[in-house]
Amino acid sequence: MSSPAPVPGSARARGPQNGAPGGSLKSRAYEHIRQGLINGTLCEGAHLSPVELGKELGISHIPVREAISQLASEGLVVQVPRQGAFVRQIQRRELVELIELRGILESDAVVKAARRIEPVELTELENHLGRMESLLPGFETENMEAFIETTSQWMLADLAFHMLLLQVAGNGQVLKVISDHQIMMHMFCHRTDAPEAWERPLGVYQRENFELHRQVFEAVKIRDGEVARQAMEAHTDRARENMMARFDWLRRQAENEDPMARDLPESMQSLVRSVQQRFVKEPEA
């Protein structure tokens, strides 16, 4: 499988990374587990062994246990008496609420982005959009490996498009909320699904999806915040339908142990992680 084109970095400066302050062992363990949630190496339901994680990091199990407790307090991990800690399984209703929350935050942020965006950032946004357009023919293929590659690369461009808009909006707290949301959205792992999972042909859906992204871009380009908001709301509504259909399909595959619900390649998971790390930072003091 050929490697996707690299996603360019944002023009704006980034602040320090999320996670516990300082360079403590607990902080290292916290970031290690948190990144596992983001990049899909720790799927929902995965057992978190302080001893094993400590061995991976070359540290004692005690700071790992403390990091797990912090993640449990944040709702990302559940601790079961006499069984241990596990990556929490997201519930259907919760996913609906998270998607709706993201829609509210992004619809507000895109209005601010339309006012604040600089020419270099507009060019970067257009590059992400162009990358998505170039991938559209790939959704028509019946070759599963090619389909996986196209889906993976689309996900990268889509993620970068949205994270750039949020960053341009300039609200660090909103970006942090979306950061946590990104973890929750990926708690059922970066997994691909077959075209049979869609009620309509995926190629048709993605062309409509691209058009919604294009409308957001065009509104931001002319600095029309209200039109940008309407376009983002329409995109969020469509994304909600998509995510819930995908969530239900993956649940059915998990119940049936169907091999079609497969993980993305490690190389692609690493690229997803790099995009998220580039944009998702703590707000500067």
Side-chain angles (χ1 to χ4, degrees):
M1 183 167 62
S2 60
S3 299
V7 180
S10 171
R12 292 183 186 267
R14 276 80 183 181
Q17 289 189 348
N18 282 333
S24 67
L25 296 180
K26 174 187 172 183
S27 176
R28 284 179 56 198
Y30 176 92
E31 284 298 331
H32 178 75
I33 298 171
R34 192 172 186 274
Q35 287 304 317
L37 298 176
I38 291 175
N39 65 34
T41 57
L42 290 175
C43 300
E44 63 172 19
H47 179 237
L48 300 176
S49 167
V51 174
E52 293 302 319
L53 289 167
K55 288 180 180 178
E56 289 181 20
L57 291 166
I59 62 177
S60 163
H61 71 280
I62 295 175
V64 177
R65 194 179 300 279
E66 293 173 348
I68 290 174
S69 295
Q70 179 177 342
L71 289 161
S73 70
E74 295 172 0
L76 300 175
V77 170
V78 292
Q79 294 178 309
V80 182
R82 295 183 296 279
Q83 295 185 39
F86 299 85
V87 178
R88 187 166 66 83
Q89 292 184 314
I90 190 169
Q91 302 301 309
R92 194 179 194 280
R93 180 59 222 168
E94 183 179 13
L95 182 59
V96 171
E97 291 172 353
L98 287 168
I99 294 171
E100 291 175 349
L101 172 62
R102 179 180 174 182
I104 292 170
L105 294 174
E106 286 202 86
S107 295
D108 180 64
V110 77
V111 176
K112 297 176 182 177
R115 295 197 300 262
R116 299 185 73 239
I117 197 161
E118 299 173 0
V120 65
E121 294 164 334
L122 192 64
T123 297
E124 183 180 346
L125 195 66
E126 188 172 23
N127 288 340
H128 296 321
L129 185 69
R131 180 63 178 151
M132 294 168 70
E133 184 175 24
S134 72
L135 293 167
L136 289 174
F139 289 108
E140 306 291 346
T141 182
E142 295 183 1
N143 181 293
M144 190 60 185
E145 293 304 318
F147 172 79
I148 291 174
E149 180 180 0
T150 298
T151 301
S152 303
Q153 294 187 38
W154 175 282
M155 180 173 61
L156 289 170
D158 191 358
L159 175 61
F161 182 94
H162 285 272
M163 296 309 291
L164 177 58
L165 282 173
L166 286 165
Q167 192 167 66
V168 170
N171 190 323
Q173 293 300 326
V174 169
L175 193 58
K176 184 178 185 304
V177 170
I178 293 295
S179 165
D180 295 337
H181 181 207
Q182 288 293 334
I183 293 176
M184 297 295 288
M185 292 285 280
H186 290 86
M187 280 176 62
F188 53 92
C189 295
H190 293 294
R191 301 177 72 87
T192 59
D193 47 6
E196 290 82 354
W198 305 76
E199 294 182 0
R200 293 178 296 133
L202 183 56
V204 173
Y205 171 84
Q206 290 294 55
R207 288 185 183 280
E208 294 172 352
N209 192 12
F210 167 77
E211 178 60 22
L212 291 170
H213 282 84
R214 188 192 64 77
Q215 291 174 16
V216 170
F217 169 77
E218 293 296 339
V220 171
K221 183 178 180 180
I222 63 174
R223 302 185 181 278
D224 191 326
E226 187 53 40
V227 172
R229 180 199 298 275
Q230 294 171 7
M232 185 63 78
E233 289 174 346
H235 173 48
T236 300
D237 289 343
R238 183 62 56 82
R240 179 181 183 276
E241 296 176 9
N242 166 36
M243 287 298 299
M244 297 319 300
R246 184 173 185 270
F247 180 87
D248 292 341
W249 184 83
L250 286 171
R251 280 290 187 268
R252 290 195 298 272
Q253 304 312 302
E255 292 171 359
N256 298 331
E257 297 184 352
D258 193 307
M260 292 299 287
R262 67 181 72 177
D263 293 334
L264 292 182
E266 174 58 31
S267 59
M268 187 55 62
Q269 292 184 19
S270 296
L271 283 172
V272 171
R273 180 170 61 251
S274 71
V275 173
Q276 291 174 321
Q277 288 178 327
R278 182 178 299 128
F279 289 97
V280 180
K281 308 292 183 184
E282 287 279 6
E284 296 186 40

